[in-house]
């Protein structure tokens, strides 16, 4: 007999419908074959499914079994097909009511005792099931929270294969899992807050501008000046994510299998990979391409501490993601595109020993080693970073001052207000912030006063600004203007923006 079960898999960030066709032959030698371009994990499903069916007191057909995963030209990866294959075998053997299988989609990995285990990528498949007008989706109990973010489809959590069989035969019903909404915004808490950082007013101002306009930023200075502390406090001034952003980020973490402690990502991601991270680990890839750190930092922050210590080939791979907001991973079997609209936050020392230009400590590095150290960061890469901030040592008076600095909550309110202005400005467009503007949007939305235009023209010749630096200066000045609540960009905003664009590397 023949049965057809619906399941799904993920390609990039999108769910794809997979038909699981199971044929239980009436004649022939016993055998179990899976076709349809399965990988090793899918092929091993034969042993898991066989043991799960037997250990849940059901009878495994003692004839030839053929399972086809269609369409056959798509690579099938992972263990999510265990449950639909088991259901298909039981249905083809006449042990299930086939009427209950219509308009239903099944996902899950099976243990040898018949327990249904967690799998990655449930959220994109649930969205695909809703789009294809399925009425029911059966998911592992541990994935029910994640799947419940999608409204308009009945979520049925499955703990064991035996429970599912009894439910499909209308003997014991599985309780529908309720739809859940996103949590409310939380105030910034923790040890890494701006009120706990002494001095560094220029660096704090740069952080506020970067957070308001989603601009990339790099801190340069000797060890112990607060570069890492500023970077770790940076998320406390970022605005909350919109529902669309939460769903998009959660899809990435779902595919990566990182939704363990929570079923959705409510706070903006803050990724901080070590400087020994490989290029594939940073931008994504692998035999079966998966999201890298740049994608996991989507709509959040990618913090690269000890920026100059990263291999140059790894850093150069950031060029295209910084410009396009997406990364395309090409392999022999095809290409996948992952979103990566992240804010790059980097921290670097001025030289190998770290004390070049320090007012009190002498640098021990030879001129050649300093030059080689600076050459690790290429000009084109630095040109893509909007704000360049020098972080000098904290003065004694500032360090011992017991008065409280401006709190993260106060700074965050100004950032949120500036973001509201930008959302209103870019309504109907695919961009959300000033940092995402291209030349077309800059010409359309950025209006400079005459004295600001004059100052910018003088800066182009004196500072030898590239075309990219010219547009980035305007974008930064627009963000400063938004923080002030003004409409036109003035000369003061341009002057402040230029001080963050003048770097000598």
């Amino acid at each position: 007999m023949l049965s057809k079960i619906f399941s799904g898999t993920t390609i990039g960030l999108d769910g794809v419908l997979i038909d699981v066709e199971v044929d239980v032959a009436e004649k022939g030698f016993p055998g179990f074959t899976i076709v349809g371009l399965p990988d090793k994990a899918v092929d091993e499903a034969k042993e898991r499914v066989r043991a799960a069916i037997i250990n849940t007191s059901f009878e495994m057909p003692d004839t030839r079994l053929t399972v086809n995963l269609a369409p056959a030209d798509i690579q099938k990866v992972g263990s999510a097909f265990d449950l639909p294959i088991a259901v298909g075998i039981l249905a083809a053997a006449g042990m299930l009511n086939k009427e209950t299988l219509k308009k239903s989609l099944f996902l899950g990995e099976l243990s040898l005792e018949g327990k249904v285990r967690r799998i990655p990528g449930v959220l994109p498949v649930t969205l695909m099931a809703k789009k294809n007008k399925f009425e029911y989706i059966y998911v592992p109990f541990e994935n029910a929270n994640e799947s419940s973010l999608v409204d308009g489809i009945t979520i049925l959590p499955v703990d064991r294969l035996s429970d599912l069989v009894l439910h499909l035969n209308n003997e014991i019903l599985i309780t529908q899992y309720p739809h859940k909404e996103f949590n409310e915004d939380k105030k910034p808490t923790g040890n890494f807050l701006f009120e706990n950082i002494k001095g560094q007013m220029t660096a704090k101002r740069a952080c506020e501008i970067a957070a308001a306009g989603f601009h990339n930023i790099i801190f340069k200075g000797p060890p112990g000046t607060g570069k890492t502390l500023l970077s770790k406090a940076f998320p406390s001034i970022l605005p909350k994510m919109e529902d669309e952003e939460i769903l998009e980020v959660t899809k990435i973490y779902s595919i990566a299998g990182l939704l363990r402690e929570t079923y959705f990502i409510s706070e903006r991601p803050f990724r901080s990979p070590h400087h020994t991270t490989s290029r594939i680990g940073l931008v994504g890839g692998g035999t079966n391409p998966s999201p890298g750190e740049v994608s996991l930092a989507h709509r959040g922050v990618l913090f690269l501490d000890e920026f100059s210590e990263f291999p140059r080939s790894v850093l150069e791979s950031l060029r295209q993601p910084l410009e396009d907001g997406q990364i395309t991973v090409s392999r022999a079997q095809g290409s996948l595109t992952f979103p990566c609209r992240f804010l790059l936050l980097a921290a670097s020392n001025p030289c190998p020993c770290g004390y070049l230009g320090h007012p009190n400590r002498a640098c021990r590095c030879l001129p050649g080693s300093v030059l080689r150290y600076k050459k690790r960061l290429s000009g084109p890469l630095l040109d893509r970073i909007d704000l360049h901030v020098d972080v000098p040592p904290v003065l004694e008076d500032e360090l011992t001052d017991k008065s409280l600095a401006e709190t993260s909550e106060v700074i965050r309110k100004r950032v949120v207000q500036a973001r509201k202005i930008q959302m209103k400005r870019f309504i109907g467009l695919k961009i959300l912030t000033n940092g995402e503007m291209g030349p077309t949007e800059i010409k359309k939305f950025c209006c400079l006063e005459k004295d600001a235009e004059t100052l910018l023209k003088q800066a182009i010749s004196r500072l030898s600004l590239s075309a990219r630096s010219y547009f980035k200066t305007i974008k930064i000045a627009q963000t400063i203007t938004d923080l002030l609540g003004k409409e036109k960009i003035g000369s003061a905003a341009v002057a402040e923006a230029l001080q963050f664009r003048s770097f000598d590397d």
Side-chain angles (χ1 to χ4, degrees):
M1 294 180 65
L2 181 68
S3 68
K4 183 177 179 180
I5 307 298
F6 296 105
S7 186
T9 188
T10 56
I11 297 180
L13 285 189
D14 300 320
V16 178
L17 182 64
I18 301 296
D19 297 340
V20 181
E21 301 171 335
V22 181
D23 178 57
V24 178
E26 296 182 358
K27 297 180 181 180
F29 291 105
F32 196 160
T33 305
I34 299 178
V35 297
L37 210 59
D39 74 338
K40 185 66 174 175
V42 177
D43 192 54
E44 290 176 348
K46 294 182 289 189
E47 305 305 325
R48 293 193 297 270
V49 169
R50 186 193 305 274
I53 291 177
I54 294 174
N55 290 329
T56 48
S57 302
F58 296 105
E59 185 177 349
M60 184 73 181
D62 194 20
T63 56
R64 183 168 185 81
L65 299 176
T66 304
V67 177
N68 179 41
L69 305 177
D73 60 338
I74 296 177
Q75 178 78 34
K76 315 304 185 305
V77 179
S79 56
F81 300 106
D82 290 7
L83 187 61
I85 290 174
V87 171
I89 292 173
L90 295 174
M95 302 181 194
L96 292 178
N97 181 3
K98 290 187 178 181
E99 292 297 321
T100 60
L101 302 178
K102 296 179 180 179
K103 294 293 182 180
S104 298
L105 190 141
F106 298 84
L107 294 169
E109 176 187 334
L110 287 174
S111 69
L112 299 184
E113 61 179 354
K115 185 175 178 60
V116 183
R117 289 176 170 164
R118 172 195 291 270
I119 57 170
V122 168
L123 180 57
V125 176
T126 306
L127 290 168
M128 178 273 297
K130 178 186 176 182
K131 183 178 179 181
N132 285 273
K133 299 182 179 180
F134 281 93
E135 295 179 5
Y136 308 97
I137 180 168
Y138 295 85
V139 299
F141 189 84
E142 294 178 347
N143 289 113
N145 269 329
E146 173 187 346
S147 192
S148 66
L149 294 175
V150 182
D151 195 11
I153 186 171
T154 302
I155 312 297
L156 295 169
V158 183
D159 187 48
R160 303 184 66 84
L161 177 61
S162 56
D163 297 339
L164 177 59
V165 173
L166 293 174
H167 171 82
L168 294 174
N169 287 331
N170 296 319
E171 297 180 23
I172 298 177
L173 296 180
I174 296 176
T175 304
Q176 175 184 345
Y177 206 84
H179 169 65
K180 292 189 175 182
E181 300 289 345
F182 301 122
N183 290 342
E184 296 295 327
D185 185 31
K186 298 179 181 179
K187 292 184 178 181
T189 57
N191 295 324
F192 300 110
L193 299 173
F194 275 79
E195 55 262 38
N196 298 330
I197 302 175
K198 301 293 185 180
Q200 305 298 4
M201 299 307 297
T202 302
K204 290 180 180 179
R205 173 62 175 172
C207 287
E208 181 180 346
I209 297 171
F214 213 70
H215 300 290
N216 302 317
I217 182 173
I218 181 171
F219 294 124
K220 291 186 177 181
T225 56
K227 302 187 299 295
T228 303
L229 189 59
L230 284 163
S231 302
K232 290 184 176 180
F234 189 83
S236 67
I237 64 171
L238 289 173
K240 71 171 185 176
M241 290 196 292
E242 301 296 325
D243 288 353
E244 292 182 2
E245 292 179 303
I246 292 175
L247 194 60
E248 193 174 14
V249 173
T250 303
K251 283 172 64 177
I252 298 173
Y253 277 73
S254 174
I255 289 170
L258 298 177
L259 292 179
R260 294 288 180 178
E261 298 179 357
T262 179
Y263 62 95
F264 73 96
I265 306 299
S266 60
E267 298 180 358
R268 293 191 181 272
F270 183 84
R271 304 293 299 184
S272 180
H274 193 259
H275 58 77
T276 56
T277 302
S278 66
R279 184 180 59 83
I280 291 178
L282 190 64
V283 301
T287 306
N288 298 313
S290 58
E293 291 291 339
V294 295
S295 296
L296 295 174
H298 182 61
R299 295 298 175 189
V301 178
L302 177 66
F303 174 46
L304 300 183
D305 201 3
E306 304 298 340
F307 196 45
S308 300
E309 298 297 333
F310 282 81
R312 179 159 180 162
S313 60
V314 174
L315 293 179
E316 293 304 307
S317 65
L318 290 174
R319 286 198 201 178
Q320 185 238 346
L322 284 172
E323 287 291 312
D324 300 339
Q326 61 182 21
I327 180 72
T328 300
V329 181
S330 297
R331 294 293 180 265
Q333 61 265 35
S335 299
L336 295 178
T337 300
F338 297 105
C340 57
R341 182 65 68 183
F342 61 92
L343 189 155
L344 176 62
L345 180 57
S348 175
N349 293 324
C351 67
C353 77
Y355 294 105
L356 180 66
H358 195 285
N360 300 321
R361 300 189 63 171
C363 174
R364 302 186 301 272
C365 304
L366 297 175
S369 63
V370 174
L371 184 60
R372 286 192 297 271
Y373 190 78
K374 289 187 175 184
K375 281 187 176 181
R376 294 183 182 181
L377 304 178
S378 67
L381 177 61
L382 289 173
D383 204 31
R384 285 169 166 82
I385 299 177
D386 302 13
L387 302 167
H388 295 254
V389 186
D390 290 324
V391 185
V394 183
L395 299 177
E396 294 179 3
D397 294 340
E398 294 176 331
L399 195 59
T400 57
D401 187 8
K402 295 184 179 180
S403 62
L404 289 177
E406 193 173 31
T407 65
S408 292
E409 183 63 21
V410 172
I411 300 174
R412 190 188 198 192
K413 288 180 180 178
R414 292 199 297 266
V415 170
V416 170
Q417 192 61 36
R419 285 286 185 97
K420 289 180 180 179
I421 295 174
Q422 294 168 56
M423 290 183 67
K424 185 178 179 181
R425 176 184 298 133
F426 303 128
I427 190 169
L429 301 179
K430 293 184 178 180
I431 62 177
L432 300 175
T433 58
N434 292 332
E436 301 173 52
M437 286 194 296
T440 304
E441 291 81 15
I442 291 174
K443 291 178 181 179
K444 181 178 179 181
F445 297 111
C446 299
C447 182
L448 282 76
E449 296 177 353
K450 288 186 178 181
D451 55 347
E453 289 183 358
T454 303
L455 178 60
L456 195 54
K457 288 179 181 179
Q458 294 174 350
I460 293 174
S461 58
R462 293 185 181 181
L463 299 178
S464 300
L465 296 181
S466 65
R468 181 185 290 114
S469 293
Y470 167 74
F471 286 118
K472 284 189 177 296
T473 301
I474 296 177
K475 289 193 288 186
I476 296 169
Q478 182 63 65
T479 300
I480 295 170
T481 305
D482 291 341
L483 286 168
L484 296 173
K486 297 181 179 180
E487 294 184 0
K488 289 188 176 183
I489 301 174
S491 58
V494 172
E496 186 176 4
L498 285 170
Q499 75 169 338
F500 295 120
R501 291 298 304 168
S502 56
F503 55 96
D504 58 1
D505 295 84

